[in-house]
Amino acid sequence: MKKRVIISLVILMILSLCLIPEKEFYTDGGTVKWKSIIYSVIKYNAIIEENEYMVGYEVEVFGITIYDNTHIIKTK
């Protein structure tokens, strides 16, 4: 019984460590990426060209995109 509890706690700790993200900053205008082993979230704020910006969010789980709300904004 005690061994089962210890194994369960170790597995729970390993799974919780897989959910802690690492924050990355890009120099493309302000894009931020939160990445862990299981998922990643990207908040785009990228300058594509002089008058074009890409903004929005993208969420991936196990490398598969499940949410993509990115779009390009053109300015004058």
Side-chain angles (χ1 to χ4, degrees):
M1 180 70 175
K2 205 172 200 183
K3 186 176 181 180
R4 184 176 288 171
V5 171
I6 292 172
I7 291 173
S8 298
L9 287 175
V10 169
I11 290 173
L12 184 64
M13 287 174 33
I14 291 171
L15 286 175
S16 65
L17 288 175
C18 291
L19 294 174
I20 298 174
E22 175 184 337
K23 194 173 188 180
E24 297 178 27
F25 295 97
Y26 292 94
T27 58
D28 61 352
T31 300
V32 181
K33 181 178 185 178
W34 294 273
K35 183 177 182 181
S36 73
I37 295 172
I38 297 175
Y39 70 94
S40 69
V41 177
I42 304 170
K43 180 184 176 222
Y44 289 103
N45 189 18
I47 301 171
I48 298 173
E49 292 181 6
E50 187 174 321
N51 296 328
E52 291 184 354
Y53 298 93
M54 183 167 71
V55 294
Y57 288 91
E58 181 179 342
V59 179
E60 295 179 351
V61 177
F62 293 115
I64 300 169
T65 302
I66 60 169
Y67 181 74
D68 188 4
N69 186 23
T70 58
H71 55 280
I72 296 174
I73 298 175
K74 294 185 180 184
T75 60
K76 294 180 182 179

